[in-house]
Amino acid sequence: MYKSLLFCICLLMSLSAWSQEQWEEAGEIQEAEVVIEKDREIVLPFQPRSFEKIPPVAIETGGIKQEYVFPALDVTVPPTTVDIKALKLQAEPLEKYYGNLVKLGYGNYNSPLGELYLYNKRNKQYLAGFQAKHLSFGKGPVDGKNSASGETLLKGEASYFGDGFTVSGDAYYKLSRFNFYGYDPSVSVTEGEDSLKRNFNKYGVSVNIDNSSSESDISISGGLAYNGQNDNLDISENWVKVNADLSMELQSALTGHVGVFADLIGYKDSLSTSRQRIGLEPSVVYTGDNYQVSAGIRYVYQSDSLVPASQVYPVLKGKYQFGKSFGIFGELSGNSQLNTWQGMSARNPYLAQGVDIHNSNNILNLGLGAQGNLAFMSYKVGLSQKVFKQFGVFLNSPDDPSKFILAYDTANFKVLDLYMASDFYLGSSINLGLQVNYYNYSSDTFEEAWHMPGYRIAFNGSFLAFNKMRTKAGLAYLGGIKAYDWNLGQSKELKAATDVYIDLDYLLSERATIFLQFHNLANQQYQLLSNYPVRGLTFKAGFSYSF
């Protein structure tokens, strides 16, 4: 094997040497001529080709059920204590509150003005205060002192705010002074004559409690009040009033109410009389998303010689709000209208002696209207049709035209009231208000609705300029009042009343203010009660200070 391997190696070496020699002999470049043809065309024979499109692969649309398994992880994180220092914000101080005010002024017709308000500072549990007011006119539109008048009020009030309930009460004394100056101008009357004087002493006390709470389905409220009044003509009246209301949530949108009230009245004039009125008012109220409906009855028992002893009235009310800008409301009800000597003398302080006081039976009260809010105003329009029996009106006494008697329509007395009211908001410093009423009366007994207005227009506004000057202004226009003239034996219409007023307050500081008041700028001695013209232009000037 060894000799054979050696022989092969020698043979390979011999072949390699021979090949190298041959390359050296044949590797020389010989002389030759090369011809390049540039116009030669290469033509390839036509070969047909056919390409077949690959069909798309169908996609399966069937759902593929996926199953997931989430293993429960039980990880215990060691507690971490982070020491963070809380950022303390400085509390904003409350705006300074002044609960006390004194106001003093003086004007023409010898008219001093004084007001005092004393109230406690901010307190979450109680509110207590005292008021004292005086305004008088030493002279009036007729014969100087013979038409003087004045009013003084002393009042204290307090409220306690407990856990889910509130108790409040007040006590007051009011002295009002008038003169019977509506006498015949041809009659000579001594200035300051005592027979002209009419003074009222009015006093009262009341207590109210309310346990309304947002956390309770039941709420109870009630009150007890006493009001008394007497005058220098030996007339007096005592009135005790009791009322209570129970409210209970029956369902999420349904609430039940039960109200009770009682009025006990003792009246002394030439004769002593007493009257009682007791009522019960059960009702239910359903409240939807944009509507509310209530239905109930009102039962009244009363001891009055002109009205039925027992009477039942329906009480139906509803409202529907289509949106913020428009809603409708309606009412169908009735009631016994309580009339008192105190209420009648507040409307007309020139009542004669021996006047009978009776309640009025409001057998129908129908009301319809619409209301809403627009970008810069709110509005309310509607009508009210009321039908009364035993409705009382004021008539000049045939014996003395400076005094008034009460006359009652024992048949149907109808009152139609068409009204419109709007409030305009023209910025934070300007507010305007407008109210218009048109009245129409129908009586089965009276020729006219004596001393009842036929129309009324009231416009008022307030304006704050430069954060210093507060201005209040208003206009009242009232007319269509009819009265009966016993001397002529016929009715007469009183001249329409136009009253314009402007009140100006200038802030000297956040505590001190000076003011000017101008009333009846048109200087008209109009009459709202026959034979009683009002004062012309009146003005006052003064200052007020808060502390």
Side-chain angles (χ1 to χ4, degrees), residues 281-296:
E281 300 178 342
S283 64
V284 292
V285 179
Y286 184 84
T287 304
D289 294 336
N290 51 4
Y291 65 94
Q292 186 179 78
V293 179
S294 64

Side-chain angles (χ1 to χ4, degrees), residues 51-52 163 182 189 255 345 369 384 433 505 525:
F51 299 94
E52 181 180 357
D163 186 10
V189 179
T255 305
S345 61
S384 172
D505 294 335
Q525 293 187 348

Side-chain angles (χ1 to χ4, degrees), residues 45-298:
F46 173 78
Q47 295 293 334
R49 301 285 180 91
S50 177
F51 299 94
E52 181 180 357
K53 296 181 180 179
I54 301 174
V57 179
I59 300 175
E60 295 183 3
T61 59
I64 299 176
K65 185 178 181 181
Q66 301 277 349
E67 293 185 357
Y68 301 92
V69 178
F70 298 95
L73 299 178
D74 187 7
V75 180
T76 302
V77 180
T80 302
T81 302
V82 181
D83 187 9
I84 301 177
K85 186 177 181 180
L87 178 62
K88 295 183 179 180
L89 299 177
Q90 184 176 2
E92 295 183 2
L94 294 174
E95 184 179 353
K96 188 68 175 178
Y97 172 75
Y98 301 103
N100 307 316
L101 173 71
V102 60
K103 186 175 184 179
L104 299 173
Y106 192 82
N108 62 337
Y109 292 100
N110 294 339
S111 56
L113 166 68
E115 297 182 17
L116 175 65
Y117 300 87
L118 300 175
Y119 281 83
N120 66 301
K121 298 296 181 70
R122 290 187 179 94
N123 192 290
K124 295 182 179 180
Q125 285 196 318
Y126 68 90
L127 170 68
F130 172 77
Q131 302 177 21
K133 299 181 182 181
H134 174 81
L135 172 62
S136 61
F137 294 89
K139 297 181 179 180
V142 176
D143 296 339
K145 293 182 179 180
N146 285 358
S147 52
S149 64
E151 182 176 285
T152 301
L153 171 67
L154 302 175
K155 181 179 180 181
E157 58 182 346
S159 299
Y160 178 79
F161 309 101
D163 186 10
F165 70 96
T166 302
V167 179
S168 61
D170 63 57
Y172 70 93
Y173 171 77
K174 183 178 180 181
L175 171 63
S176 302
R177 180 169 60 89
F178 301 90
N179 281 349
F180 292 104
Y181 66 91
Y183 48 80
D184 191 333
S186 62
V187 178
S188 177
V189 179
T190 304
E191 186 174 0
E193 189 174 318
D194 289 342
S195 62
L196 300 178
K197 294 180 179 180
R198 184 67 179 278
N199 300 329
F200 294 101
N201 295 285
K202 190 173 183 180
Y203 38 86
V205 61
S206 67
V207 177
N208 296 278
I209 185 169
D210 185 352
N211 76 332
S212 300
S213 175
S214 59
E215 299 179 357
S216 176
D217 295 338
I218 300 177
S219 64
I220 301 175
S221 62
L224 173 64
Y226 165 77
N227 294 285
Q229 179 174 285
N230 58 60
D231 68 354
N232 59 322
L233 302 179
D234 294 329
I235 305 174
S236 63
E237 183 181 66
N238 296 296
W239 174 21
V240 176
K241 182 177 180 64
V242 182
N243 67 86
D245 182 80
L246 170 66
S247 176
M248 178 183 298
E249 184 176 344
L250 304 177
Q251 295 180 0
S252 59
L254 187 64
T255 305
H257 297 269
V258 178
V260 295
F261 61 87
D263 298 284
L264 311 176
I265 301 171
Y267 176 64
K268 178 181 175 298
D269 196 348
S270 56
L271 297 174
S272 296
T273 60
S274 62
R275 294 180 294 139
Q276 299 82 37
R277 190 184 72 142
I278 302 173
L280 177 66
E281 300 178 342
S283 64
V284 292
V285 179
Y286 184 84
T287 304
D289 294 336
N290 51 4
Y291 65 94
Q292 186 179 78
V293 179
S294 64
I297 60 172
R298 180 179 290 125

Side-chain angles (χ1 to χ4, degrees), residues 417-433:
D417 178 12
L418 302 176
Y419 61 88
M420 183 274 289
S422 298
D423 290 319
F424 301 89
Y425 311 103
L426 305 179
S428 59
S429 60
I430 301 177
N431 290 316
L432 302 175

Side-chain angles (χ1 to χ4, degrees), residues 394-411:
F394 298 115
L395 276 173
N396 292 88
S397 172
D399 300 324
D400 185 353
S402 67
K403 298 179 181 180
F404 290 83
I405 61 174
L406 274 170
Y408 293 90
D409 186 345
T410 57

